[in-house]
Amino acid sequence: MSIVLYYAPNTCALAPYVTLTEAKAAFEVRPLNFRKGQQKSPDYLRLNPKHKVPLLIVDGQPLTESPAIQIWIARRFPQAGLLPSDPWLELKAISILSWCSSGMHPYLSRINSPARVCNVPGAEARVIQSARELLFENYKIADDMLAGRKFFFDRFTAADAHFFWCIRRGLQFDLDLSEFPSCLAHFERMQGRPSVQKLLAYEKSVQAEFAKAA
Ligand SMILES: N[C@@H](CCC(=O)N[C@@H](CS)C(=O)NCC(=O)O)C(=O)O
Protein backbone atom coordinates (compact mmCIF):
# COMPACT_ATOMS: atom_id res chain seq x y z
CA MET A 1 0.00 0.00 0.00
CA SER A 2 1.28 3.46 -0.88
CA ILE A 3 0.48 6.36 1.47
CA VAL A 4 1.47 9.89 0.54
CA LEU A 5 0.82 12.90 2.76
CA TYR A 6 0.88 16.39 1.31
CA TYR A 7 2.00 18.69 4.08
CA ALA A 8 3.12 22.26 4.75
CA PRO A 9 4.99 23.59 7.80
CA ASN A 10 2.85 24.96 10.68
CA THR A 11 -0.39 23.73 9.12
CA CYS A 12 -2.96 21.27 10.41
CA ALA A 13 -1.26 18.61 8.25
CA LEU A 14 0.72 18.18 11.46
CA ALA A 15 -2.14 16.03 12.83
CA PRO A 16 -2.10 13.24 10.21
CA TYR A 17 1.71 13.30 10.23
CA VAL A 18 1.61 12.61 13.98
CA THR A 19 -1.09 9.93 13.78
CA LEU A 20 0.60 8.15 10.85
CA THR A 21 3.78 8.15 12.93
CA GLU A 22 1.92 6.85 16.00
CA ALA A 23 0.51 4.10 13.76
CA LYS A 24 4.07 3.20 12.66
CA ALA A 25 2.82 3.51 9.08
CA ALA A 26 5.23 3.68 6.17
CA PHE A 27 4.39 6.93 4.41
CA GLU A 28 5.93 9.46 2.09
CA VAL A 29 5.60 13.18 2.83
CA ARG A 30 5.48 15.74 0.04
CA PRO A 31 5.98 19.22 1.48
CA LEU A 32 4.42 22.25 -0.19
CA ASN A 33 5.90 25.72 0.07
CA PHE A 34 2.94 28.01 0.75
CA ARG A 35 5.19 31.09 0.49
CA LYS A 36 5.62 30.12 -3.16
CA GLY A 37 1.92 29.35 -3.56
CA GLN A 38 2.62 25.70 -4.38
CA GLN A 39 -0.83 24.71 -3.07
CA LYS A 40 -2.25 26.61 -6.05
CA SER A 41 -0.02 25.09 -8.71
CA PRO A 42 -1.95 23.42 -11.56
CA ASP A 43 -0.50 20.01 -10.61
CA TYR A 44 -1.64 20.29 -7.00
CA LEU A 45 -5.05 21.72 -7.92
CA ARG A 46 -5.60 18.62 -10.04
CA LEU A 47 -5.14 16.55 -6.87
CA ASN A 48 -6.97 18.91 -4.51
CA PRO A 49 -8.96 21.75 -6.07
CA LYS A 50 -9.52 23.14 -2.53
CA HIS A 51 -5.77 24.09 -2.53
CA LYS A 52 -5.35 22.88 1.03
CA VAL A 53 -3.37 20.45 3.11
CA PRO A 54 -3.60 17.85 4.49
CA LEU A 55 -4.18 15.67 1.47
CA LEU A 56 -3.70 11.94 1.75
CA ILE A 57 -3.18 9.83 -1.35
CA VAL A 58 -3.77 6.14 -0.75
CA ASP A 59 -2.80 3.92 -3.66
CA GLY A 60 -3.36 6.89 -5.95
CA GLN A 61 -6.75 7.85 -4.46
CA PRO A 62 -6.98 11.32 -2.86
CA LEU A 63 -8.68 11.95 0.49
CA THR A 64 -9.19 15.48 1.85
CA GLU A 65 -10.48 16.87 5.19
CA SER A 66 -8.61 16.12 8.38
CA PRO A 67 -11.33 14.18 10.24
CA ALA A 68 -11.78 11.77 7.30
CA ILE A 69 -8.01 11.37 6.99
CA GLN A 70 -7.60 10.73 10.72
CA ILE A 71 -10.44 8.19 10.73
CA TRP A 72 -8.94 6.42 7.71
CA ILE A 73 -5.58 6.15 9.50
CA ALA A 74 -7.25 4.85 12.67
CA ARG A 75 -9.22 2.22 10.72
CA ARG A 76 -6.27 1.14 8.59
CA PHE A 77 -4.01 0.70 11.64
CA PRO A 78 -6.40 -0.55 14.35
CA GLN A 79 -3.57 -1.96 16.46
CA ALA A 80 -2.41 1.62 17.18
CA GLY A 81 -5.66 2.45 19.03
CA LEU A 82 -5.90 5.90 17.45
CA LEU A 83 -9.63 6.09 18.21
CA PRO A 84 -11.36 4.56 21.25
CA SER A 85 -12.65 1.03 20.63
CA ASP A 86 -15.99 1.64 22.37
CA PRO A 87 -18.41 2.78 19.59
CA TRP A 88 -19.86 5.68 21.62
CA LEU A 89 -16.44 6.93 22.68
CA GLU A 90 -15.25 6.55 19.11
CA LEU A 91 -18.00 8.96 18.04
CA LYS A 92 -17.04 11.33 20.85
CA ALA A 93 -13.49 11.33 19.48
CA ILE A 94 -14.78 11.97 15.93
CA SER A 95 -16.81 14.81 17.40
CA ILE A 96 -13.57 16.33 18.75
CA LEU A 97 -11.86 15.89 15.37
CA SER A 98 -14.74 17.73 13.66
CA TRP A 99 -14.72 20.42 16.34
CA CYS A 100 -10.98 21.02 15.85
CA SER A 101 -11.31 21.27 12.07
CA SER A 102 -14.59 23.18 11.78
CA GLY A 103 -15.13 24.75 15.22
CA MET A 104 -11.65 26.07 16.03
CA HIS A 105 -9.59 26.04 12.85
CA PRO A 106 -11.66 28.76 11.08
CA TYR A 107 -10.94 31.22 13.92
CA LEU A 108 -7.22 30.44 13.72
CA SER A 109 -7.39 31.05 9.95
CA ARG A 110 -9.03 34.45 10.54
CA ILE A 111 -6.30 35.43 12.98
CA ASN A 112 -3.70 34.31 10.44
CA SER A 113 -5.23 36.18 7.49
CA PRO A 114 -8.02 38.53 8.60
CA ALA A 115 -8.25 40.15 5.16
CA ARG A 116 -9.37 36.84 3.64
CA VAL A 117 -12.67 37.10 5.49
CA CYS A 118 -13.12 40.90 5.60
CA ASN A 119 -11.30 43.28 3.29
CA VAL A 120 -12.83 46.49 4.67
CA PRO A 121 -9.88 48.85 5.23
CA GLY A 122 -8.98 49.03 8.92
CA ALA A 123 -11.05 45.96 9.86
CA GLU A 124 -8.10 43.63 10.54
CA ALA A 125 -7.74 44.31 14.26
CA ARG A 126 -11.48 43.84 14.83
CA VAL A 127 -11.56 40.59 12.87
CA ILE A 128 -8.63 39.28 14.93
CA GLN A 129 -10.23 40.41 18.18
CA SER A 130 -13.57 38.73 17.53
CA ALA A 131 -11.91 35.55 16.20
CA ARG A 132 -9.77 35.46 19.34
CA GLU A 133 -12.84 35.80 21.59
CA LEU A 134 -14.67 33.00 19.78
CA LEU A 135 -11.56 30.82 19.78
CA PHE A 136 -11.14 31.36 23.53
CA GLU A 137 -14.72 30.17 24.15
CA ASN A 138 -13.66 26.91 22.54
CA TYR A 139 -10.33 26.71 24.37
CA LYS A 140 -12.27 27.11 27.63
CA ILE A 141 -14.51 24.14 26.75
CA ALA A 142 -11.43 22.07 25.91
CA ASP A 143 -9.74 23.22 29.11
CA ASP A 144 -12.68 21.89 31.14
CA MET A 145 -12.61 18.63 29.19
CA LEU A 146 -8.89 18.18 29.84
CA ALA A 147 -8.92 19.20 33.54
CA GLY A 148 -7.20 16.49 35.58
CA ARG A 149 -6.64 14.30 32.50
CA LYS A 150 -3.63 13.49 30.34
CA PHE A 151 -5.63 13.16 27.13
CA PHE A 152 -9.24 13.56 25.95
CA PHE A 153 -9.73 9.82 26.55
CA ASP A 154 -7.90 7.34 28.74
CA ARG A 155 -4.94 7.31 26.36
CA PHE A 156 -3.62 9.20 23.34
CA THR A 157 -5.99 9.30 20.34
CA ALA A 158 -6.09 11.14 17.01
CA ALA A 159 -8.16 13.83 18.76
CA ASP A 160 -5.13 14.78 20.87
CA ALA A 161 -3.00 15.20 17.76
CA HIS A 162 -5.45 17.58 16.12
CA PHE A 163 -6.08 19.58 19.29
CA PHE A 164 -2.33 19.88 19.83
CA TRP A 165 -2.21 21.73 16.51
CA CYS A 166 -5.09 24.05 17.58
CA ILE A 167 -3.13 25.12 20.66
CA ARG A 168 0.20 25.27 18.89
CA ARG A 169 -1.23 27.61 16.25
CA GLY A 170 -2.68 29.88 18.94
CA LEU A 171 0.73 30.05 20.64
CA GLN A 172 2.38 30.80 17.30
CA PHE A 173 0.10 33.85 17.06
CA ASP A 174 1.37 34.96 20.49
CA LEU A 175 -2.02 34.52 22.12
CA ASP A 176 -1.81 34.53 25.91
CA LEU A 177 -3.26 31.12 26.79
CA SER A 178 -2.42 31.25 30.50
CA GLU A 179 -6.13 31.10 31.40
CA PHE A 180 -6.21 27.58 29.89
CA PRO A 181 -3.77 25.65 32.13
CA SER A 182 -5.10 22.20 31.19
CA CYS A 183 -4.73 22.98 27.46
CA LEU A 184 -1.16 24.16 28.09
CA ALA A 185 -0.36 21.05 30.14
CA HIS A 186 -1.74 18.91 27.29
CA PHE A 187 0.42 20.88 24.83
CA GLU A 188 3.55 20.25 26.93
CA ARG A 189 2.70 16.56 27.31
CA MET A 190 2.17 16.20 23.57
CA GLN A 191 5.50 17.87 22.85
CA GLY A 192 7.19 15.06 24.75
CA ARG A 193 5.77 12.33 22.51
CA PRO A 194 8.27 10.82 20.06
CA SER A 195 5.76 11.23 17.20
CA VAL A 196 5.51 14.97 17.87
CA GLN A 197 9.27 15.31 18.25
CA LYS A 198 9.67 13.58 14.90
CA LEU A 199 7.18 15.98 13.33
CA LEU A 200 8.93 19.02 14.82
CA ALA A 201 12.32 17.86 13.53
CA TYR A 202 10.82 17.16 10.11
CA GLU A 203 9.15 20.58 10.03
CA LYS A 204 12.46 22.26 10.86
CA SER A 205 14.22 20.40 8.05
CA VAL A 206 11.53 21.41 5.55
CA GLN A 207 11.72 25.05 6.68
CA ALA A 208 15.51 24.98 6.26
CA GLU A 209 15.15 23.54 2.73
CA PHE A 210 12.59 26.20 1.82
CA ALA A 211 14.84 28.96 3.23
CA LYS A 212 17.75 27.68 1.10
CA ALA A 213 15.58 27.72 -2.01
CA ALA A 214 14.20 31.23 -1.32
N1 LIG B 1 -11.20 21.66 6.49
C1 LIG B 1 -9.84 21.39 6.11
C2 LIG B 1 -9.02 22.64 6.33
C3 LIG B 1 -7.62 22.52 5.79
C4 LIG B 1 -6.94 23.88 5.77
O1 LIG B 1 -7.56 24.95 5.94
N2 LIG B 1 -5.64 23.86 5.53
C5 LIG B 1 -4.88 25.09 5.42
C6 LIG B 1 -3.61 24.98 6.26
S1 LIG B 1 -3.93 24.77 8.00
C7 LIG B 1 -4.42 25.29 3.99
O2 LIG B 1 -4.00 24.34 3.36
N3 LIG B 1 -4.49 26.53 3.47
C8 LIG B 1 -3.99 26.86 2.18
C9 LIG B 1 -4.96 27.67 1.36
O3 LIG B 1 -6.10 27.88 1.80
O4 LIG B 1 -4.56 28.08 0.27
C10 LIG B 1 -9.28 20.23 6.94
O5 LIG B 1 -9.63 20.11 8.12
O6 LIG B 1 -8.53 19.41 6.39
mmCIF file of all heavy atoms in Angstrom, residues 11-12 34 39-40 50-54 64-67 101 105 109 116 162 165, ligand 1:
data_model
loop_
_atom_site.group_PDB
_atom_site.id
_atom_site.type_symbol
_atom_site.label_atom_id
_atom_site.label_comp_id
_atom_site.label_asym_id
_atom_site.label_seq_id
_atom_site.Cartn_x
_atom_site.Cartn_y
_atom_site.Cartn_z
ATOM 1 N N THR A 11 1.031 23.941 9.424
ATOM 2 C CA THR A 11 -0.388 23.733 9.117
ATOM 3 C C THR A 11 -0.947 22.541 9.892
ATOM 4 O O THR A 11 -0.220 21.772 10.517
ATOM 5 C CB THR A 11 -0.597 23.441 7.612
ATOM 6 O OG1 THR A 11 0.001 22.170 7.329
ATOM 7 C CG2 THR A 11 0.008 24.526 6.739
ATOM 8 N N CYS A 12 -2.273 22.374 9.734
ATOM 9 C CA CYS A 12 -2.961 21.266 10.405
ATOM 10 C C CYS A 12 -2.590 19.915 9.813
ATOM 11 O O CYS A 12 -3.031 18.874 10.336
ATOM 12 C CB CYS A 12 -4.466 21.487 10.372
ATOM 13 S SG CYS A 12 -5.140 21.574 8.707
ATOM 14 N N PHE A 34 4.053 27.065 0.888
ATOM 15 C CA PHE A 34 2.938 28.014 0.748
ATOM 16 C C PHE A 34 3.437 29.401 0.369
ATOM 17 O O PHE A 34 2.730 30.159 -0.284
ATOM 18 C CB PHE A 34 2.139 28.089 2.058
ATOM 19 C CG PHE A 34 1.127 26.971 2.224
ATOM 20 C CD1 PHE A 34 1.091 25.883 1.382
ATOM 21 C CD2 PHE A 34 0.180 27.037 3.249
ATOM 22 C CE1 PHE A 34 0.151 24.866 1.534
ATOM 23 C CE2 PHE A 34 -0.773 26.033 3.411
ATOM 24 C CZ PHE A 34 -0.783 24.949 2.557
ATOM 25 N N GLN A 39 0.478 25.379 -3.229
ATOM 26 C CA GLN A 39 -0.826 24.711 -3.073
ATOM 27 C C GLN A 39 -1.798 25.133 -4.184
ATOM 28 O O GLN A 39 -2.858 24.532 -4.330
ATOM 29 C CB GLN A 39 -1.424 24.996 -1.674
ATOM 30 C CG GLN A 39 -2.080 26.340 -1.476
ATOM 31 C CD GLN A 39 -1.097 27.458 -1.145
ATOM 32 O OE1 GLN A 39 0.064 27.444 -1.541
ATOM 33 N NE2 GLN A 39 -1.578 28.476 -0.443
ATOM 34 N N LYS A 40 -1.381 26.153 -4.952
ATOM 35 C CA LYS A 40 -2.249 26.609 -6.049
ATOM 36 C C LYS A 40 -1.648 26.290 -7.419
ATOM 37 O O LYS A 40 -2.095 26.811 -8.441
ATOM 38 C CB LYS A 40 -2.531 28.110 -5.908
ATOM 39 C CG LYS A 40 -3.389 28.397 -4.672
ATOM 40 C CD LYS A 40 -3.879 29.822 -4.600
ATOM 41 C CE LYS A 40 -4.714 30.012 -3.346
ATOM 42 N NZ LYS A 40 -4.898 31.369 -2.937
ATOM 43 N N LYS A 50 -9.300 22.225 -3.675
ATOM 44 C CA LYS A 50 -9.520 23.136 -2.532
ATOM 45 C C LYS A 50 -8.235 23.868 -2.148
ATOM 46 O O LYS A 50 -8.244 24.670 -1.221
ATOM 47 C CB LYS A 50 -10.018 22.336 -1.328
ATOM 48 C CG LYS A 50 -11.338 21.604 -1.528
ATOM 49 C CD LYS A 50 -11.611 20.730 -0.295
ATOM 50 C CE LYS A 50 -12.732 19.755 -0.554
ATOM 51 N NZ LYS A 50 -12.771 18.700 0.496
ATOM 52 N N HIS A 51 -7.118 23.548 -2.799
ATOM 53 C CA HIS A 51 -5.771 24.091 -2.534
ATOM 54 C C HIS A 51 -5.410 24.101 -1.046
ATOM 55 O O HIS A 51 -4.913 25.087 -0.509
ATOM 56 C CB HIS A 51 -5.568 25.482 -3.185
ATOM 57 C CG HIS A 51 -6.537 26.563 -2.829
ATOM 58 N ND1 HIS A 51 -6.447 27.292 -1.676
ATOM 59 C CD2 HIS A 51 -7.610 27.050 -3.500
ATOM 60 C CE1 HIS A 51 -7.422 28.169 -1.648
ATOM 61 N NE2 HIS A 51 -8.148 28.043 -2.729
ATOM 62 N N LYS A 52 -5.665 22.968 -0.401
ATOM 63 C CA LYS A 52 -5.351 22.884 1.028
ATOM 64 C C LYS A 52 -4.588 21.612 1.355
ATOM 65 O O LYS A 52 -4.647 20.628 0.616
ATOM 66 C CB LYS A 52 -6.645 22.904 1.842
ATOM 67 C CG LYS A 52 -7.364 24.246 1.712
ATOM 68 C CD LYS A 52 -8.411 24.430 2.763
ATOM 69 C CE LYS A 52 -9.220 25.690 2.538
ATOM 70 N NZ LYS A 52 -8.457 26.924 2.599
ATOM 71 N N VAL A 53 -3.899 21.655 2.489
ATOM 72 C CA VAL A 53 -3.369 20.446 3.108
ATOM 73 C C VAL A 53 -4.123 20.287 4.435
ATOM 74 O O VAL A 53 -4.630 21.281 4.952
ATOM 75 C CB VAL A 53 -1.839 20.543 3.360
ATOM 76 C CG1 VAL A 53 -1.077 20.597 2.067
ATOM 77 C CG2 VAL A 53 -1.467 21.710 4.269
ATOM 78 N N PRO A 54 -4.207 19.075 4.984
ATOM 79 C CA PRO A 54 -3.601 17.853 4.495
ATOM 80 C C PRO A 54 -4.371 17.260 3.316
ATOM 81 O O PRO A 54 -5.572 17.460 3.178
ATOM 82 C CB PRO A 54 -3.691 16.916 5.704
ATOM 83 C CG PRO A 54 -4.924 17.369 6.436
ATOM 84 C CD PRO A 54 -4.950 18.857 6.262
ATOM 85 N N THR A 64 -9.373 14.174 1.206
ATOM 86 C CA THR A 64 -9.191 15.476 1.851
ATOM 87 C C THR A 64 -10.028 15.531 3.125
ATOM 88 O O THR A 64 -10.874 14.662 3.349
ATOM 89 C CB THR A 64 -9.627 16.640 0.928
ATOM 90 O OG1 THR A 64 -11.019 16.462 0.600
ATOM 91 C CG2 THR A 64 -8.816 16.694 -0.345
ATOM 92 N N GLU A 65 -9.795 16.571 3.923
ATOM 93 C CA GLU A 65 -10.480 16.874 5.188
ATOM 94 C C GLU A 65 -9.901 16.034 6.330
ATOM 95 O O GLU A 65 -10.015 14.804 6.352
ATOM 96 C CB GLU A 65 -12.005 16.711 5.094
ATOM 97 C CG GLU A 65 -12.651 17.585 4.022
ATOM 98 C CD GLU A 65 -12.371 19.082 4.192
ATOM 99 O OE1 GLU A 65 -12.269 19.565 5.339
ATOM 100 O OE2 GLU A 65 -12.233 19.776 3.159
ATOM 101 N N SER A 66 -9.323 16.763 7.268
ATOM 102 C CA SER A 66 -8.606 16.121 8.377
ATOM 103 C C SER A 66 -9.389 15.029 9.110
ATOM 104 O O SER A 66 -8.830 13.957 9.363
ATOM 105 C CB SER A 66 -8.191 17.161 9.413
ATOM 106 O OG SER A 66 -7.614 18.239 8.804
ATOM 107 N N PRO A 67 -10.666 15.252 9.490
ATOM 108 C CA PRO A 67 -11.332 14.177 10.238
ATOM 109 C C PRO A 67 -11.395 12.879 9.431
ATOM 110 O O PRO A 67 -11.133 11.794 9.966
ATOM 111 C CB PRO A 67 -12.739 14.744 10.507
ATOM 112 C CG PRO A 67 -12.553 16.226 10.478
ATOM 113 C CD PRO A 67 -11.504 16.462 9.420
ATOM 114 N N SER A 101 -11.467 20.821 13.465
ATOM 115 C CA SER A 101 -11.312 21.273 12.073
ATOM 116 C C SER A 101 -12.357 22.304 11.670
ATOM 117 O O SER A 101 -12.068 23.182 10.869
ATOM 118 C CB SER A 101 -11.305 20.081 11.109
ATOM 119 O OG SER A 101 -12.599 19.664 10.832
ATOM 120 N N HIS A 105 -10.496 25.675 13.943
ATOM 121 C CA HIS A 105 -9.590 26.042 12.850
ATOM 122 C C HIS A 105 -10.008 27.340 12.139
ATOM 123 O O HIS A 105 -9.161 28.205 11.874
ATOM 124 C CB HIS A 105 -9.501 24.865 11.871
ATOM 125 C CG HIS A 105 -8.450 25.013 10.832
ATOM 126 N ND1 HIS A 105 -7.877 23.947 10.202
ATOM 127 C CD2 HIS A 105 -7.873 26.101 10.294
ATOM 128 C CE1 HIS A 105 -6.991 24.380 9.327
ATOM 129 N NE2 HIS A 105 -6.978 25.686 9.365
ATOM 130 N N SER A 109 -7.641 30.549 11.319
ATOM 131 C CA SER A 109 -7.389 31.052 9.952
ATOM 132 C C SER A 109 -7.664 32.555 9.870
ATOM 133 O O SER A 109 -6.945 33.290 9.194
ATOM 134 C CB SER A 109 -8.287 30.338 8.934
ATOM 135 O OG SER A 109 -8.106 28.958 9.025
ATOM 136 N N ARG A 116 -8.697 37.845 4.485
ATOM 137 C CA ARG A 116 -9.370 36.840 3.637
ATOM 138 C C ARG A 116 -10.849 36.751 3.959
ATOM 139 O O ARG A 116 -11.638 36.267 3.154
ATOM 140 C CB ARG A 116 -8.722 35.462 3.818
ATOM 141 C CG ARG A 116 -7.519 35.272 2.929
ATOM 142 C CD ARG A 116 -6.815 33.989 3.264
ATOM 143 N NE ARG A 116 -7.165 32.912 2.371
ATOM 144 C CZ ARG A 116 -6.638 31.700 2.450
ATOM 145 N NH1 ARG A 116 -5.766 31.406 3.384
ATOM 146 N NH2 ARG A 116 -6.985 30.767 1.609
ATOM 147 N N HIS A 162 -4.872 16.405 16.789
ATOM 148 C CA HIS A 162 -5.450 17.579 16.117
ATOM 149 C C HIS A 162 -5.562 18.770 17.083
ATOM 150 O O HIS A 162 -5.276 19.910 16.714
ATOM 151 C CB HIS A 162 -6.813 17.248 15.511
ATOM 152 C CG HIS A 162 -7.170 18.169 14.383
ATOM 153 N ND1 HIS A 162 -7.853 17.769 13.268
ATOM 154 C CD2 HIS A 162 -6.904 19.488 14.199
ATOM 155 C CE1 HIS A 162 -7.994 18.805 12.450
ATOM 156 N NE2 HIS A 162 -7.433 19.858 13.003
ATOM 157 N N TRP A 165 -2.442 20.713 17.550
ATOM 158 C CA TRP A 165 -2.213 21.726 16.509
ATOM 159 C C TRP A 165 -3.004 23.010 16.816
ATOM 160 O O TRP A 165 -2.496 24.116 16.634
ATOM 161 C CB TRP A 165 -2.588 21.204 15.113
ATOM 162 C CG TRP A 165 -2.409 22.278 14.088
ATOM 163 C CD1 TRP A 165 -1.227 22.672 13.523
ATOM 164 C CD2 TRP A 165 -3.412 23.159 13.581
ATOM 165 N NE1 TRP A 165 -1.441 23.740 12.680
ATOM 166 C CE2 TRP A 165 -2.777 24.062 12.702
ATOM 167 C CE3 TRP A 165 -4.791 23.278 13.778
ATOM 168 C CZ2 TRP A 165 -3.464 25.063 12.021
ATOM 169 C CZ3 TRP A 165 -5.480 24.279 13.100
ATOM 170 C CH2 TRP A 165 -4.814 25.167 12.231
HETATM 171 N N1 LIG B 1 -11.202 21.658 6.495
HETATM 172 C C1 LIG B 1 -9.840 21.386 6.113
HETATM 173 C C2 LIG B 1 -9.019 22.642 6.331
HETATM 174 C C3 LIG B 1 -7.623 22.521 5.789
HETATM 175 C C4 LIG B 1 -6.943 23.879 5.769
HETATM 176 O O1 LIG B 1 -7.565 24.949 5.938
HETATM 177 N N2 LIG B 1 -5.638 23.856 5.533
HETATM 178 C C5 LIG B 1 -4.882 25.093 5.423
HETATM 179 C C6 LIG B 1 -3.607 24.981 6.265
HETATM 180 S S1 LIG B 1 -3.928 24.767 7.998
HETATM 181 C C7 LIG B 1 -4.417 25.288 3.988
HETATM 182 O O2 LIG B 1 -4.003 24.339 3.362
HETATM 183 N N3 LIG B 1 -4.487 26.532 3.474
HETATM 184 C C8 LIG B 1 -3.993 26.858 2.180
HETATM 185 C C9 LIG B 1 -4.957 27.667 1.362
HETATM 186 O O3 LIG B 1 -6.100 27.885 1.796
HETATM 187 O O4 LIG B 1 -4.562 28.078 0.266
HETATM 188 C C10 LIG B 1 -9.282 20.226 6.945
HETATM 189 O O5 LIG B 1 -9.634 20.115 8.124
HETATM 190 O O6 LIG B 1 -8.525 19.411 6.389
#
